[in-house]
Amino acid sequence: MKLQRKNRLRATALGALAVSGALVLTACGSDDNTESTGSGDKTAAAASDIKCDDAKGQVLAAGSSAQKNAMDLWVKNFQQACSGVEINYQPIGSGGGITKFTQGQVAFAGSDSALKPEEVTASEEICKGGKGINLPMVGGPVAIGFNVPGVDSLVLDAQTLAKIFDSKIKKWDDKAIADLNPDAKLPSTAIQAFHRSDESGTTQNLNKYLKAAAPAQWNYDDSSKSWEAKGGQAASGSSGVASGVKDTEGAIGYFELSYATASDMTTVKVDTGAGAPVEATTENASKAIAAAKVKGTGNDMALELDYATKAEGAYPIILVTYEIACDKGNKAETLPAVKAFLNYAVSEEGQKVLSDADYAPLPTEIAAKVREIVPTLS
């Protein structure tokens, strides 16, 4: 079943890519691992339930490349249902998206981490009479993909991952790795650890996991979207990291699960201290995300995630991507389309299509709250 599903995802990715190329102008052409729902009936059903309201014209948006494959699905369905509307999303990374948002260049931004206080302050210049708020929309695992010939299963823990990404473990047959994988035939190949070159919420979420689960080994700022660890190979966007790992013997890197699936890449199982190592799946990520707590106030839905979870079957390296919009002070010409699009994305139909693209739908209670907030944007 797993092989059939991977084949289906790879096949449908080509079709979805053609659609996204026509519908979504992207600033990062390397982020091209678009996924589809794998079912024309699902797409048609989702599209038929979309409420367009008074949506019209072009909406510019930018940010997280982690959510690109989800965004492509939503844009495809939304534009099929709502003629005369174009959602133009640029997957340039969370940092770039927030910058464009606070400069008034986009109607909303996608970010794998919530706005910082200084970014909220900056948004008040654009959101006249209001401010930028965080609306969770996409969840999922940050997978750790690897390319080690002869090794088709690999278990790592937070301490070992921290040392690998900090260039303190340099060979695949290092004792720390061998102890976690007694049955694997580990080569003496040099480790090539790939990381993002751009500011990325995916990087920040990996930072947060390593800081929470291996504080003695990871001494870097877990609020930073930039990569600060020593050494390694840099690549742009999640697709760039995934391509680097796939093409480089001895490589390891981090990216959203959909990129691993599209590349037919094996991912690391994480030893969290639970009864068994945990695989990077949407179901396992959902178990961890479901424990999230809302730390934002008012209509801000910023979440606090438990990266150090040891719950059985809960995958700890997780992210939630937010759509960042003005609660008040949105531009009148784009507001109807922004609200209609976000209403669809967080709807039951919009969330259902995520699973087939290796994303985790939002927990029911969180999604319900976001559904109440989106219609109040003004």
Side-chain angles (χ1 to χ4, degrees):
M1 291 297 293
K2 185 176 180 181
L3 180 59
Q4 290 175 347
R5 183 165 181 268
K6 284 188 175 182
N7 288 338
R8 169 171 57 76
L9 281 168
R10 289 199 300 274
T12 55
L14 295 176
L17 177 59
V19 174
S20 75
L23 300 182
V24 185
L25 302 178
T26 65
C28 184
S30 64
D31 281 342
D32 58 1
N33 291 318
T34 306
E35 303 288 337
S36 79
T37 62
S39 169
D41 291 339
K42 285 183 181 180
T43 301
S48 68
D49 294 330
I50 295 172
K51 295 180 180 180
C52 304
D53 297 325
D54 298 321
K56 60 182 179 181
Q58 184 186 66
V59 173
L60 299 180
S64 165
S65 66
Q67 69 169 11
K68 176 191 180 296
N69 295 336
M71 188 63 69
D72 285 348
L73 285 171
W74 288 334
V75 168
K76 173 174 174 264
N77 290 348
F78 185 76
Q79 292 185 169
Q80 283 180 343
C82 303
S83 60
V85 183
E86 182 183 3
I87 308 297
N88 190 339
Y89 184 77
Q90 302 174 345
I92 59 174
S94 299
I98 290 174
T99 297
K100 281 183 174 290
F101 177 73
T102 56
Q103 292 177 349
Q105 298 178 29
V106 294
F108 70 90
S111 176
D112 309 335
S113 57
L115 291 170
K116 297 178 180 180
E118 61 268 26
E119 292 169 340
V120 174
T121 300
S123 74
E124 293 174 355
E125 295 295 319
I126 301 301
C127 305
K128 300 302 182 182
K131 62 182 180 181
I133 57 172
N134 303 284
L135 300 172
M137 206 67 66
V138 183
V142 177
I144 308 295
F146 65 95
N147 177 358
V148 184
V151 179
D152 56 10
S153 180
L154 187 67
V155 174
L156 296 173
D157 58 17
Q159 293 77 18
T160 307
L161 280 167
K163 291 178 181 178
I164 287 173
F165 281 113
D166 201 20
S167 300
K168 292 179 180 177
I169 292 179
K170 300 182 178 181
K171 299 284 186 178
W172 278 109
D173 60 354
D174 187 275
K175 185 178 183 300
I177 301 175
D179 287 346
L180 290 165
N181 299 273
D183 297 327
K185 295 182 179 179
L186 298 166
S188 60
T189 306
I191 295 174
Q192 303 290 337
F194 279 79
H195 60 264
R196 292 281 290 270
S197 60
D198 51 325
E199 285 199 345
S200 163
T202 311
T203 293
Q204 186 182 38
N205 281 280
L206 178 63
N207 270 333
K208 287 180 178 295
Y209 161 71
L210 294 173
K211 190 71 171 180
Q217 290 77 26
W218 197 251
N219 298 312
Y220 301 102
D221 180 6
D222 64 356
S223 68
S224 176
K225 295 184 180 73
S226 299
W227 187 257
E228 297 181 354
K230 305 297 187 290
Q233 307 283 340
S236 177
S238 291
S239 66
V241 175
S243 295
V245 174
K246 184 178 180 180
D247 295 339
T248 306
E249 186 173 315
I252 187 170
Y254 60 95
F255 32 76
E256 295 65 46
L257 184 58
S258 58
Y259 291 93
T261 301
S263 300
D264 196 21
M265 191 184 304
T266 306
T267 60
V268 168
K269 295 177 182 178
V270 178
D271 183 346
T272 64
V278 187
E279 187 176 356
T281 67
T282 56
E283 294 81 5
N284 293 342
S286 291
K287 292 178 182 177
I289 294 172
K293 298 179 181 179
V294 177
K295 64 179 181 179
T297 58
N299 283 344
D300 186 86
M301 288 289 291
L303 302 177
E304 182 176 347
L305 302 174
D306 182 8
Y307 297 94
T309 180
K310 295 182 180 180
E312 294 296 331
Y315 184 78
I317 318 176
I318 49 177
L319 62 77
V320 170
T321 292
Y322 302 91
E323 308 315 325
I324 295 169
C326 297
D327 58 355
K328 299 177 182 178
N330 289 279
K331 293 181 180 178
E333 61 269 25
T334 57
L335 179 60
V338 169
K339 291 172 67 174
F341 178 71
L342 296 182
N343 271 326
Y344 163 61
V346 79
S347 70
E348 289 186 13
E349 293 78 14
Q351 290 292 300
K352 281 179 182 176
V353 304
L354 295 177
S355 295
D356 283 339
D358 286 325
Y359 292 97
L362 293 175
T364 303
E365 291 185 5
I366 293 174
K369 291 179 181 178
V370 178
R371 288 171 194 146
E372 292 176 358
I373 294 170
V374 172
T376 70
L377 301 181
S378 63

